[in-house]
Amino acid sequence: LAKKERGNVQRFQSALSEAAIRRLNLEQDLRQALPNGELELYYQPVVTSGAQQPVAVEALIRWNHPVMGLLPPDQFIPLAEENDLIFSLGAWVLQEACRQLSVWRRLWPELRVSINVSSRQFTQTDFASSVAQALAVHHLPASALELEVTETATLDTESLGDYAALMSAGLQLAVDDFGTGYSSIVRLFELPVGILKIDRSLVAALIPSQDRRRSTLPLIRSFVTYARESGLQVTAEGVETPEQLEVLKQAGCDLIQGFLIARPASAAQTERWLRQTTER
Ligand code: C2E
Ligand code: CA
Ligand code: CA
Ligand code: CA
């Protein structure tokens, strides 16, 4: 190789190994994050589209990394999903969300919590029984909990069987990021899903700018029509403007979530928000 090319190859290789090392370090740090108490749940309220009253909070994980600071989930959840860390992490999320909700339900007895469940975790053999256990430990009815799943294609009927008892006791299943590539509409017809969460990319394209004239409104309307006929609730995610809220309300969306209502925030901040909103 010419000298210059050799240099390029070396730079490429060292960049590669730097990335690999960073990844390895992060993975090691993540193993310690649970025992060190560095994981934290943030919460984002879900409100009714009409009176804008809170009905649920979605738990969204954060990692208080000792050096890198507060990390959002996309910086470590994919890594956790690649190895078995997602199982211990997911078990912690379930426990912590149920614990927090049991505290909040003393003030807001109808409040629910939703947690994000990765498909590997959902299809894991003993997850359904850990859900039942977490609910029992924190004296919560099954109807207090929602499980949000994205990849409906992977939800085989076999693993769904594990959730049958919980679901007849009121556990809700929500299809997250609905309208994106991950959720199979055909599969949806066969699944015991109670809630459709319309992806925020569809909400963002609801009111098109001048150069992008095509609105997603007809699509969202058709989801709402389908949901009504099937007895499902529709949540719109990523609602950022009063205009979007108005259009979604007119279209018949039941529930609203997004920065317009509240950003995801710590448990303490969320509690303050709940108190202000409900005057309790
Ligand atoms: P998601 O479940 O679709 O969660 C919604 C994401 O949209 C959150 O990002 C939230 O902060 C953001 N968001 C909410 N409202 C708005 C808005 O009005 N505008 C915009 N631009 N964004 C908004 P976050 O917290 O960074 O979470 C990203 C993803 O990480 C989640 O997407 C979820 O798939 C995953 N995730 C979060 N917590 C967990 C967890 O405990 N377990 C698993 N397996 N995945 C999780
Ligand atoms: Ca979600
Ligand atoms: Ca989502
Ligand atoms: Ca997502």
Side-chain angles (χ1 to χ4, degrees), residues 3-215:
K3 197 174 170 191
K4 188 174 161 215
E5 277 176 57
R6 260 201 314 268
N8 282 342
V9 168
Q10 268 165 9
R11 265 194 299 280
F12 179 65
Q13 282 176 336
S14 69
L16 250 189
S17 53
E18 262 171 46
I21 288 166
R22 220 178 306 130
R23 202 177 163 287
L24 263 174
N25 284 339
L26 200 65
E27 190 179 320
Q28 253 155 20
D29 290 354
L30 191 53
R31 280 184 203 285
Q32 290 308 309
L34 256 182
N36 290 351
E38 293 163 9
L39 298 179
E40 182 177 356
L41 290 184
Y42 271 34
Y43 296 89
Q44 187 178 34
V46 179
V47 303
T48 56
S49 60
Q52 287 170 41
Q53 283 303 298
V55 295
V57 288
E58 178 177 0
L60 295 159
I61 199 167
R62 301 290 182 264
W63 178 9
N64 293 297
H65 190 279
V67 179
M68 289 182 279
L70 195 70
L71 298 182
D74 55 325
Q75 291 194 30
F76 61 94
I77 288 288
L79 184 64
E81 278 173 344
E82 279 171 33
N83 51 60
D84 287 350
L85 276 168
I86 193 65
F87 298 126
S88 50
L89 195 149
W92 177 82
V93 170
L94 172 68
Q95 282 299 327
E96 177 57 17
C98 287
R99 188 201 60 75
Q100 181 63 71
L101 184 70
S102 71
V103 174
W104 282 340
R105 279 178 60 116
R106 291 179 204 146
L107 282 169
W108 300 282
E110 306 286 296
L111 192 70
R112 291 176 288 153
V113 72
S114 67
I115 61 173
N116 293 282
V117 179
S118 82
S119 63
R120 274 188 73 201
Q121 196 188 351
F122 189 85
T123 51
Q124 184 196 14
T125 44
D126 56 0
F127 189 65
S129 58
S130 41
V131 169
Q133 205 184 345
L135 291 170
V137 166
H138 298 286
H139 309 289
L140 293 168
S143 57
L145 184 66
E146 291 168 20
L147 304 182
E148 298 192 6
V149 292
T150 41
E151 294 157 76
T152 52
T154 62
L155 305 187
D156 52 288
T157 348
E158 206 182 308
S159 55
L160 276 164
D162 301 344
Y163 297 88
L166 281 167
M167 290 207 262
S168 50
L171 176 78
Q172 289 277 359
L173 211 60
V175 176
D176 206 352
D177 302 347
F178 188 72
T180 66
Y182 291 113
S183 51
S184 150
I185 294 187
V186 174
R187 199 65 187 87
L188 187 68
F189 298 148
E190 313 161 352
L191 293 172
V193 163
I195 300 165
L196 295 186
K197 297 197 77 173
I198 296 181
D199 191 66
R200 72 165 187 267
S201 59
L202 294 176
V203 172
L206 193 57
I207 301 162
S209 58
Q210 281 179 332
D211 50 326
R212 283 175 68 245
R213 285 172 187 280
R214 204 180 293 235
S215 163

Side-chain angles (χ1 to χ4, degrees), residues 240-251:
E240 295 183 349
T241 71
E243 292 76 22
Q244 289 171 341
L245 173 65
E246 194 49 40
V247 174
L248 289 162
K249 198 164 77 182
Q250 293 302 323

